[in-house]
Amino acid sequence: MHSAAPPLRDPDDLPAPLAALVRRARAGSRDDGLRLALGIEGGGLSVAMACGMALALERLGLTAWLDVVYGTSSGSLMAAYVAGGDTADAEHVLEAACTKEFVRLARLGRSPVVSVDFLMGIVRGRPPLVGAPGRPELRVLAVGVHDGLLRTLGPFSEQGDALAAIRASMAIPVWSGPAVAYGGDLLSDGGLIESIPVDTPLAEGATHVIALRSRDWAYRKGRRGRLYGVAEDVVGSRLPGRLPQLIRERPPRYDAEVGELEAATRGAGRLADRVTQLAPEPGTPLVGRLQIDRDVVRAAIRAGDRVVTGALTAPAG
């Protein structure tokens, strides 16, 4: 038997996007003239942190009151489970993926280090619910290989179509094999341009965005590590279209994204009052992009849960 969810904080004490979501849940209605979006960062199994946050939001009765959920890369997979209301299945999928069949560095240069096809096999065993009445819409971000432009895929009415779009968004250059054909287009990892879905939801009509981070709020990519740099330069130079350029440009683009999110959290910058992020504190153990330690993944899920519980629930007493 599950214990009752703790009481939510007074909306007046919350950032505007979270306040709007709590008010909807209390009113039991979306009829407020707003469009509330959730944007989920990816990053391989590091999305476990965002999974824990989504589990807590669902337990608190809040995800059903979103209008739309956006995801990038592995964040798009998480977004599908959140939109369908079955985030516990996502937790199972992430734990089941903690195996060398999913990530094996020794395959570098011979076959994909990250086997997204193996992951999708696990997903098909517990697929997300797609297009259910009354649930938030799902949007998936991917990048066109030949023009280097961001695509928004969705909404979806069929499970197979949604899973195909998610597979395309998780086509990580260098690490997970070739780009993926979808809808007559050749697509790759949406995180090459927008790692944390915020700007696209706003451009597409969201009035407020809540960003779920896979990494702590102070994390920056900065300079690439030696292993990533060598792999991306050697293998990436042979990739088609705009992918080599997008790979080189990604670290500073990512750091600019998170800098704006940090400013918004302080109530500053162009995103202030429209966007807030839920992210762990610096020093919180994170899951590395190629890490498959099940205990580390579980710890990140628990840490993400604590982030949301601490941010949204009233202190005891």
Side-chain angles (χ1 to χ4, degrees):
M1 179 180 296
H2 295 286
S3 59
L8 295 169
R9 290 182 183 270
D10 187 323
D12 291 340
D13 297 331
L14 295 171
L18 293 173
L21 186 59
V22 169
R23 289 190 181 102
R24 280 187 172 188
R26 288 183 171 179
S29 171
R30 291 193 183 98
D31 188 19
D32 56 10
L34 304 177
R35 184 165 173 81
L36 305 186
L38 191 71
I40 305 180
E41 180 180 9
L45 289 181
S46 65
V47 79
M49 185 71 66
C51 178
M53 296 179 193
L55 282 165
L57 289 172
E58 194 168 287
R59 186 178 67 250
L60 293 170
L62 295 174
T63 57
W65 302 107
L66 296 161
D67 293 294
V68 60
V69 186
Y70 285 76
T72 295
S73 196
S74 60
S76 68
L77 179 61
M78 190 58 50
Y81 284 107
V82 174
D86 40 19
T87 310
D89 283 344
E91 181 180 15
H92 167 83
V93 167
L94 295 183
E95 292 190 9
C98 292
T99 167
K100 289 183 179 179
E101 291 181 81
F102 178 42
V103 177
R104 190 176 179 87
L105 193 56
R107 295 194 293 247
L108 183 62
R110 297 182 292 108
S111 60
V113 169
V114 180
S115 177
V116 178
D117 290 334
F118 173 78
L119 175 63
M120 294 305 293
I122 300 172
V123 170
R124 290 186 184 95
R126 290 199 181 192
L129 186 64
V130 174
R135 293 297 307 179
E137 299 170 3
L138 170 65
R139 299 289 192 279
V140 171
L141 299 188
V143 171
V145 168
H146 296 299
D147 61 13
L149 298 178
L150 195 65
R151 310 280 199 275
T152 302
L153 311 179
F156 305 95
S157 58
E158 297 181 0
Q159 184 181 94
D161 187 31
L163 294 182
I166 290 165
R167 175 64 183 88
S169 182
M170 293 196 296
I172 311 165
V174 177
W175 302 102
S176 71
V180 172
Y182 175 87
D185 210 354
L186 192 62
L187 301 178
S188 191
D189 181 4
L192 290 168
I193 290 182
E194 192 169 338
S195 294
I196 310 158
V198 167
D199 279 337
T200 295
L202 291 173
E204 294 179 349
T207 57
H208 299 84
V209 181
I210 301 163
L212 301 189
R213 299 292 309 282
S214 296
R215 302 171 175 92
D216 66 67
W217 60 261
Y219 175 85
R220 301 291 190 276
K221 286 189 178 293
R223 296 180 61 184
R224 296 177 300 173
R226 181 175 179 274
L227 172 63
Y228 288 108
V230 170
E232 290 177 346
D233 288 343
V234 173
V235 181
S237 64
R238 302 195 293 266
L239 294 175
R242 299 285 301 280
L243 291 182
Q245 177 185 350
L246 292 173
I247 290 170
R248 290 192 301 271
E249 293 173 348
R250 187 182 185 191
R253 180 180 284 121
Y254 179 91
D255 290 351
E257 281 184 67
V258 298
E260 289 199 319
L261 274 175
E262 187 180 347
T265 302
R266 300 193 310 268
R270 67 182 182 88
L271 302 178
D273 299 323
R274 297 188 296 161
V275 176
T276 194
Q277 66 175 336
L278 291 167
E281 289 294 317
T284 303
L286 306 175
V287 181
R289 183 160 55 165
L290 302 181
Q291 197 164 13
I292 51 173
D293 187 314
R294 188 172 283 110
D295 289 337
V296 174
V297 167
R298 287 171 174 163
I301 291 171
R302 292 193 298 269
D305 188 307
R306 290 193 297 271
V307 168
V308 168
T309 302
L312 283 167
T313 62

